[in-house]
Structures are given as C-alpha cells and as structure tokens.
Amino acid sequence: MIQNLLRSALLFLSLLLISCTGSADDRTYDLLITNASIADGTGGEITQGNILVHNGVIEAVGEIDPDRSRVTTVIDADGRIVSPGFIDTHSHGNPLDTPRFDNFLSMGVTTVSLGQDGRSPGLDDVNAWMDEVDQTGTGPNIVYFAGHNSLRQAVDAPRITGLDSSYIEEMQTILQRALEAGAFGLTTGLEYDHGTFADMDELVALAEPVADAGALVMSHMRSEDDDEIEASVRELISQGRGSGANVHASHIKIVFGDDPGQAESVLALMDEAREDGVQITADVYPYTASFTGIAIVFPEWALPPNDFDEVVENRRGELAEYLRNRVNLRNGPEATLFGTDPWAGMTLAEVADELDKPFEDVLIDDIGPRGASAAYFVMDEEVMKRFMLDPHVMISSDGSPTMRHPRGYGSFAKIIRQYINEENLMPLEEAIYKMSGLPAETLGLTDTSKTDTPRGLIREGFAADLLIFDPADVRDNATFEDPHQYAEGFEWVFVNGTAVIDEGVLNQTLPAGVIRRKISSNSY
C-alpha cells in the first residue's frame, strides 16, 4: 500500500513537471498521441486521454499535456482506438529470411511466438541464433520457444516410445540452456514425427525444467479429432500436473465436431484442472480450415520409422482403403486444398481429375506423406466461436508469411471485422484483451521478473507497442484463393515506440529483435 502511494505521488509530480516545463530534466520526448480512445488491454472500459512515449517506453497515460515543443512527433488520434499491439501466441516463420514480417504487422501484431509445434531453430546455440536475429533486426518482437521434436532430433533419439534416460537427460540439458538463453518455454507437436512417440514420463521430465524456470509448455496436442480431443486435453493436463508447469493448448479445435456442447465439455475439463491447481490456457484462430502436412491423412504404419516404399509394395490395397476412408471422413477430397507446388490452389479432387486417377492413388503415387501441405476444411464455426468466448482462450494466427492459408495475413483483423463489427460476438475491449493483455500475461510478458520491459498493456513503464485504428476501417483481405493479401485499417503501428506502419503505409524499419526471458536467481 505504501509503495503504491509513493508511486502515485511520484507519478503525479513527474506529470506536473512535464506539464509545466516540458520534463523534469528538459528531455525531448519521442511521441505524443492525443485525443485517444484508450483500450488498455485489460478488457476494461475505453477511456479518453493522451499517451506520452520516450525511448520505446510509455512514460505517461491520461490527462497529460506536455510542452509540444519538446515532443518530436505528435499524432492526433481524433477519437480513434489506441490499443496495445497484438501478441500472437502461435506463429511461424524465419526472422532471418523475412525479418519485417509485414503479414503480421499489417494486422496489428507486434509480437510473434516462434518455435511452435515442437520445431525450433538454433538449438545447438540458442544465444547465437538470438544474437543473429538481433543483428538483423525484426519488425515485430520475437518470442522464442524450444521445440520438443527438435530436441529429440538434436540428441539422435530413436523413434520409439520409452526412451532411455540418457536421451531424456541430454534433452533436459539442451532445454535448460535454451531457457537460460531466454526461451519462454517448450512446445510439443505430439501429432507429428518424433513427438508422436513421446510418453508421459518423457513429457513430464521435459516439462520439469520449464516449471522450475516459471515458463510455459505449449502443445499441439496428440489429436484434435472429435473422438480423441478430450483424451488429448487430459494428457496435457497430466503433463502440467506431473511437472508443475503451466500448460497451453495451441490452436484448440475439434476436427469433425459440429456440436458446441463438445466444446463446453473440453472447456469444463480445463476449468476442473484449474480448480485442481493446474494452470491451463489455450488459443484459437478464426477459420474453419486447418493447415498442415499431408501426412495427417496417412496411417502411422506408413510414416517414419516405417519405410513408405515398402508399405506401398506390400500393403498398397490396405493403404489405399485407409486413405480413401480417412479423406472421406475429413469431408472428402474437395475439402483438401493444397498450399504447396505444383498443385497450390487446387483441391485433392481437382488434382485427381487432372491426373485421371482416384485421389487415394494420387496420394500414394504422386504426393506421399511428405510431398505437400494443405488446408483442410474440417471444423465448425459455432464450435470455434464457443472456444473464442472462453475467458482463458486467446487469439492466435498459426500463420506465416509463406503459408497458403489466410490466417497468416488475416486472423487478428478478421476478429475485429467479422466478430466485433458484423456479429457483435463480444465487446471490442474484450477482443483487444484476448489479443494483447491475456497473451502477454500467459507468456509472462507483463511480469518484470520475467522480462526487462513489460508489454501487452497501455501503462506507464510498458513497452510502446501501440496501434491506432478505427475499428470500422479494419479489414482482412486474405482469402483461401489469394491468401497473401495484407490486412488494412491499422493506421499506425508502433513497435518499441517506432512506427512500422505510418498513416497506413508499411515502411522498412526493423525496431525489434528477440525478447529474452529472464531466469530468476533461484531457478534450477
């Protein structure tokens, strides 16, 4: 209480000095945003005021009026919304190839989370990878996670369940080094090669150093199919309970499911886990088609470590029947839209017609389990909306600059355009919270013991990752037919106080890099 009173008194005095003399030390400030409708990222009511920024940090918020001659840039928001920049908890891309990430910036995303689905770069020397990214610079801030599947590959672990303890210990060592370098936690891809072999002993053992560091386990769960989703959520909860780590379900969905009641059941499992002391959250993207490798439709016995050519030679009829049934269960070959050459933009049905053969033969002879990625129209919008409304579920994109899926260019803009402006699914303040304050809190970005400069809220001392926009102008332009179209409507986007979009125009500034998570002195 005393500390809060002292802080308030000091803030009042500093603002008084700013108002009267320009600043306590005659500083020149970088940015003043006036006449703002401030949605501060907490979900609270929108307030009117000004925002003062210096050296990439918010100096003051509210009824302030510093000497304009001491401010480099003044922007009159003219009643428009000013919010924290959006934080994408599940992103893809290589910052060394596309450091600007204009696809994310154009939809208001100022922080992306990489190393998802169990795959991460630079595990041999995470510090060196982070340094290289920092030297290049990036448009949005980068949050790094270490990937479980990549850890398995780094130690040459066999594709078996029940690894010898020596492999587990070696993975723990690499993971601990990544956490000490600034990783925000661990991701798993339990539906993918390597991850699919992990048992609970392995999952708990790798989550333990994450728990010790106060970090997060993010999981692409073992299955999102309607008959397995609840078991997958229980597995993630068990990993959190056994290790003590906070856990997070990535891009939560129910494949084939069309009953919002099943979403209620999944969310109830999470509620029960929280009541039992397991902190579990989730994210969701606003599309009814997923996107991943075509291996998702092949049986386990046709995937590594099994030899696909041998399977084709010895079990072709069985494989063809499996693929025919599996694809038809997933709404047929018309519901699989390829996103990689040479068939990008064509459905599996269209490719089969062009090649004049059954679609299962196309998958066996012309594509194989590693030959393509695709969008799969296998989800229900009402189920997705129910997940979206849960207070512990935030928004993500699961997108990238190169992926042929509109989510990488449109997700956050679509939330505002469709679910706020058109359908009024939730208040704008709540949507902004789900895209800023909630993901920031989940990642630990609001905690000064975990990061040098907190972010995700409009508060004094927080990073000046800011958006200025009129919600009525926000549009997602990306479609499945033309997925690489930038969103519109975010007139100004600031990352660490620097404009990356200025009056609606993308520039080439690279004001960011990797956010290194701090490890407390009593960790490990």
Side-chain angles (χ1 to χ4, degrees), residues 289-300:
S290 61
F291 189 96
T292 192
I294 198 69
I296 200 78
V297 304
F298 283 79
E300 289 186 11

Side-chain angles (χ1 to χ4, degrees), residues 107-414:
M107 57 178 169
V109 172
T110 57
T111 300
V112 298
S113 305
L114 302 180
Q116 298 295 335
D117 299 325
R119 300 286 181 189
S120 59
L123 275 179
D124 54 332
D125 190 338
V126 173
N127 261 319
W129 183 87
M130 291 179 172
D131 287 343
E132 186 177 4
V133 173
D134 285 345
Q135 288 166 10
T136 301
T138 59
N141 305 294
I142 307 296
V143 166
Y144 176 92
F145 281 83
H148 166 233
N149 297 355
S150 295
L151 287 169
R152 263 183 161 250
Q153 288 181 295
V155 302
D156 292 323
R159 289 182 173 94
I160 60 171
T161 299
L163 286 179
D164 184 85
S165 61
S166 61
Y167 291 109
I168 303 292
E169 291 167 4
E170 193 175 354
M171 284 192 286
Q172 286 176 322
T173 298
I174 298 172
L175 175 58
Q176 182 169 324
R177 286 202 301 264
L179 291 166
E180 291 170 348
F184 277 70
L186 173 75
T187 69
T188 63
L190 302 183
E191 201 169 19
Y192 298 133
D193 187 20
H194 282 282
T196 189
F197 298 100
D199 58 17
M200 185 54 63
D201 287 343
E202 179 179 341
L203 294 174
V204 167
L206 289 175
E208 286 172 347
V210 177
D212 291 341
L216 181 66
V217 173
M218 283 189 163
S219 181
H220 176 127
M221 294 181 293
R222 198 170 294 274
S223 176
E224 297 165 326
D225 290 358
D226 59 347
D227 59 345
E228 297 183 66
I229 181 65
E230 292 182 31
S232 296
V233 172
R234 288 191 181 94
E235 181 180 43
L236 179 58
I237 292 168
S238 294
Q239 185 183 17
R241 181 178 291 113
S243 64
N246 291 352
V247 293
H248 180 92
S250 294
H251 45 63
I252 194 165
K253 63 177 74 73
I254 302 178
V255 175
F256 317 133
D258 59 3
D259 178 10
Q262 189 172 15
E264 296 276 2
S265 298
V266 170
L267 293 169
L269 286 175
M270 296 183 176
D271 288 339
E272 292 168 8
R274 281 186 288 270
E275 291 172 3
D276 195 36
V278 178
Q279 183 56 41
I280 181 170
T281 50
D283 59 58
V284 63
Y285 56 79
Y287 293 88
T288 56
S290 61
F291 189 96
T292 192
I294 198 69
I296 200 78
V297 304
F298 283 79
E300 289 186 11
W301 43 266
L303 301 174
N306 302 293
D307 186 302
F308 180 70
D309 291 336
E310 288 185 5
V311 170
V312 172
E313 182 178 353
N314 298 321
R315 303 175 66 177
R316 183 183 179 101
E318 185 181 359
L319 177 60
E321 182 180 7
Y322 180 97
L323 291 170
R324 185 164 53 250
N325 293 337
R326 175 75 168 162
V327 170
N328 284 329
L329 179 64
R330 296 171 68 86
N331 296 329
E334 298 82 6
T336 297
L337 178 67
F338 289 111
T340 46
D341 291 333
W343 298 294
M346 298 176 66
T347 67
L348 176 57
E350 290 170 336
V351 174
D353 287 343
E354 182 175 294
L355 298 180
D356 194 25
K357 61 170 69 172
F359 69 80
E360 58 269 30
D361 288 342
V362 171
L363 291 171
I364 294 171
D365 298 328
D366 302 285
I367 296 176
R370 295 184 180 274
S373 293
Y376 309 89
F377 293 83
V378 291
M379 290 129 67
D380 178 82
E381 181 148 357
E382 294 306 312
V383 172
M384 180 268 291
K385 287 181 184 177
R386 180 60 194 92
F387 283 130
M388 192 185 299
L389 287 171
D390 187 84
H392 301 281
V393 176
M394 58 213 71
I395 306 304
S396 68
S397 75
D398 194 11
S400 81
T402 57
M403 179 187 298
R404 286 192 60 85
H405 191 300
R407 67 193 188 193
Y409 284 70
S411 289
F412 290 80
K414 185 180 182 186

Side-chain angles (χ1 to χ4, degrees), residues 39-50:
D40 66 2
T42 66
E45 291 185 5
I46 292 172
T47 60
Q48 306 304 308
N50 301 338

